[in-house]
Amino acid sequence: MAAVVGIADLRRPAGLALQTLAVAAGYYAAGRLGLMRRLVVDGAVVTPIWPPTGVAVACLLLFGLRVWPGIALGALLVVMSITSPQPAVIGTLVGNTAAPVCAYYMLRKVGFRTDLARLRDGFALVFLGALTATLISATAGAGLLVLTGKLAPHGFWLVWSAWWAGDAMGVLIVTPALLVLFGLYGARRTAHPRRWKEAVGLTLIACGLVPFAAQSSVSLLFLVYPLVIWAALRFQLAGSMLCALFASVMATIAATDQAGPFAGLSPIEIMIKLQAFNGAMALTALLLSAVITEQLNTRRSVERACQELVEVLEHLTAGDTPQPRPPLDADDRR
């Protein structure tokens, strides 16, 4: 018995170490992807979307606070891949780690649920996880650039706003997509063949229309919104956020290449136009799908209550004692 307990105690640290390394690897991979598309704003290199922040918030929500060392390790690896280790790097690491941790604490404080099945969950992720918590990383990053002399004081607010917007977009776009993928993997439900056909049709249309709208010299990015709304109405969060993620990637590629509707614009104008599009699209996808999912869950609860009432009335009419119903599963309880 003592040997079994000893093996179990050894497995816990080993499992935590593997989980921490996996989070660090995911953070580093997301950071390298984000650095592939960047802009120079007032002499500072910024990314329109910083996926590692979204990865960090999703990992904390799914696995708990115990994986925060993986976030710090991943941030260190990303920084070391682009610059030499310096004392000022510690401040950046602290900011990039503290922002997701702060988002995790605030979201847990308000009872956030990772299935995003309620409108309040969508608002919490937007205003607490994306817009509020990322103020920490943006302030630490831009402030250290000023303190180390790499950025003039008058350029602080411009770089700060670009840094903050990039981190916020990472949470708005990447975090819901990862939560959806994790939920789909855990559910493993079999969809109706008609839904598969509709999903394939939506995917083909998106793969053709979104790159065309992003690369067209005529400003056609508004054509993405009907696809996001269609995906939200028919496939809720899973469809809308994956569609929004794809559209955001295509728009970011066009913006960093200064192609399509971003041609001829200054870096500041590109950042404003791109972040306005990404933010509006992510908010539409997230909040609309949350409203639809909440309404569907309410309708299912009402239908189940009506079914129970009919069965009780039938038993009472026949003079029988109503049979107790089986316990509700997780979906019915929600």
Side-chain angles (χ1 to χ4, degrees):
M1 183 65 180
V4 175
V5 174
I7 293 175
D9 292 338
L10 290 175
R11 286 179 178 175
R12 292 193 189 98
L16 179 59
L18 290 176
Q19 199 173 54
T20 301
L21 292 176
V23 171
Y27 191 102
Y28 175 76
R32 297 306 301 172
L33 288 175
L35 290 172
M36 293 175 63
R37 296 291 171 175
R38 46 189 173 179
L39 295 171
V40 179
V41 178
D42 203 12
V45 178
V46 296
T47 55
I49 300 176
W50 187 237
T53 305
V55 172
V57 174
C59 290
L60 288 171
L61 291 174
L62 293 173
F63 307 122
L65 190 61
R66 62 181 180 273
V67 299
W68 75 264
I71 298 173
L73 177 59
L76 176 62
L77 294 176
V78 172
V79 172
M80 291 180 61
S81 67
I82 58 178
T83 185
S84 59
Q86 300 174 359
V89 171
I90 299 177
T92 303
L93 296 179
V94 172
N96 290 345
T97 306
V101 171
C102 182
Y104 168 80
Y105 272 118
M106 289 191 295
L107 291 175
R108 287 306 183 196
K109 189 68 175 179
V110 298
F112 178 81
R113 293 198 325 215
T114 56
D115 58 2
L116 290 167
R118 302 173 301 177
L119 182 59
R120 57 178 292 186
D121 296 327
F123 276 115
L125 185 63
V126 172
F127 291 102
L128 297 180
L131 301 182
T132 301
T134 53
L135 295 173
I136 299 174
S137 55
T139 303
L144 284 172
L145 290 177
V146 174
L147 291 177
T148 55
K150 297 180 179 179
L151 178 66
H154 62 81
F156 170 81
W157 288 111
L158 182 60
V159 174
W160 178 90
S161 60
W163 196 311
W164 173 67
D167 284 356
M169 288 302 106
V171 176
L172 280 179
I173 296 175
V174 178
T175 298
L178 293 178
L179 294 178
V180 165
L181 293 175
F182 187 85
L184 292 176
Y185 174 78
R188 296 181 181 179
R189 295 177 180 174
T190 303
H192 194 277
R194 291 184 179 179
R195 299 299 298 275
W196 279 113
K197 293 180 180 179
E198 185 177 2
V200 171
L202 175 61
T203 302
L204 293 177
I205 294 175
C207 290
L209 182 60
V210 173
F212 170 75
Q215 296 292 333
S216 176
S217 58
V218 183
S219 185
L220 297 177
L221 288 176
F222 63 89
L223 295 177
V224 175
Y225 288 95
L227 294 178
V228 174
I229 295 173
W230 177 12
L233 291 174
R234 298 297 295 162
F235 304 101
Q236 286 78 59
L237 190 67
S240 63
M241 290 313 304
L242 293 179
C243 184
L245 177 61
F246 177 65
S248 177
V249 170
M250 292 294 102
T252 302
I253 292 175
T256 53
D257 291 340
Q258 295 186 349
F262 303 96
L265 301 179
S266 66
I268 298 176
E269 293 172 336
I270 291 175
M271 282 291 297
I272 294 175
K273 188 171 185 177
L274 177 62
Q275 300 298 22
F277 169 74
N278 287 337
M281 181 185 55
L283 286 174
T284 300
L286 183 60
L287 299 182
L288 179 60
S289 59
V291 169
I292 294 172
T293 302
E294 192 173 38
Q295 290 180 347
L296 290 175
N297 291 337
T298 302
R299 188 180 69 179
R300 293 191 188 102
S301 299
V302 172
E303 291 175 349
R304 185 178 181 87
C306 292
Q307 183 181 0
E308 293 178 356
L309 181 59
V310 169
E311 293 178 0
V312 170
L313 291 176
E314 289 178 352
H315 285 293
L316 292 176
T317 302
D320 300 332
T321 302
Q323 298 295 325
R325 297 185 60 85
L328 301 179
D329 56 17
D331 292 334
D332 292 330
R333 283 197 298 271
R334 285 197 293 267

